[in-house]
Amino acid sequence: MSESTTTVDRNATVTLREVTAETLFDVLRLKVAPEQEGFVAPNAVSIAEAHFSKHAWFRAIYADETPVGFLMLHDEPDGKEGPVYYLWRYMIDARYQRMGFGRQALQLLMNHVRTRPNATELLLSYVPKEGGPKEFYESLGFTHTGKEHGNELEMRISL
């Protein structure tokens, strides 16, 4: 990436875009802060997993023309127990955190999920450690479901 953080305006338009051959390496270079690495897999791992899952929908998060993050949705409208829409991966590069891009990206994701068949909620999980995203997700309206997945706690938001 040739652009630095200073060239990205907090008022930039946030979009979710397909990762293409031309943008792949820019997305792979995005990294969370070192202390956040235990919270989310690297984008290379996520994209590889997506290619082996029939339920993965993934996008790069852009602020104007600068890639600033990545998200991946488990999109299973015909799940055995009903539709499942689950925020599988979500990251904002350390250089672009606290600029509002992540919040806008999750709003765009929620808008996308609302267009999916029988979507009534969006689920996610997080690692409950200091520096984790719990408060951020709560500020968006997510609440705990009481379920655990390994070392992660599940949250949901009604759509």
Side-chain angles (χ1 to χ4, degrees):
M1 271 181 295
S2 60
E3 296 188 51
S4 68
T5 308
T6 57
T7 63
V8 179
D9 188 308
R10 288 181 175 272
N11 297 316
T13 299
V14 174
T15 55
L16 303 179
R17 300 185 192 177
E18 284 190 56
V19 177
T20 66
E22 293 78 26
T23 63
L24 175 63
F25 289 103
D26 287 338
V27 174
L28 295 181
R29 281 191 281 272
L30 298 172
K31 305 276 187 244
V32 294
E35 63 273 13
Q36 297 170 324
E37 288 175 358
F39 298 136
V40 65
N43 293 341
V45 171
S46 298
I47 292 170
E49 286 180 332
H51 283 288
F52 294 101
S53 171
K54 64 180 181 177
H55 299 295
W57 182 89
F58 62 96
R59 295 292 186 267
I61 302 167
Y62 276 75
D64 286 339
E65 297 306 311
T66 302
V68 298
F70 176 85
L71 59 75
M72 186 160 72
L73 176 71
H74 177 97
D75 183 328
E76 189 175 6
D78 53 357
K80 292 177 188 160
E81 297 177 22
V84 179
Y85 301 101
Y86 197 95
L87 179 60
W88 189 355
R89 295 284 161 67
Y90 167 70
M91 65 82 66
I92 299 294
D93 185 276
R95 296 168 295 170
Y96 306 109
Q97 291 180 12
R98 302 196 185 286
M99 296 179 78
F101 303 143
R103 180 174 300 277
Q104 291 178 62
L106 285 185
Q107 293 292 343
L108 291 171
L109 177 66
M110 286 186 268
N111 290 343
H112 168 74
V113 173
R114 286 182 182 101
T115 71
R116 302 296 296 139
N118 303 309
T120 60
E121 67 181 3
L122 175 64
L123 300 168
L124 60 79
S125 63
Y126 71 95
V127 178
K129 291 186 179 176
E130 186 175 331
K134 175 184 179 245
E135 289 79 13
F136 171 73
Y137 292 139
E138 287 175 337
S139 75
L140 286 164
F142 284 87
T143 58
H144 287 93
T145 65
K147 295 180 183 176
E148 294 185 30
H149 303 283
N151 65 341
E152 297 187 11
L153 302 179
E154 184 180 86
M155 298 180 90
R156 69 176 293 279
I157 190 167
S158 292
L159 302 174

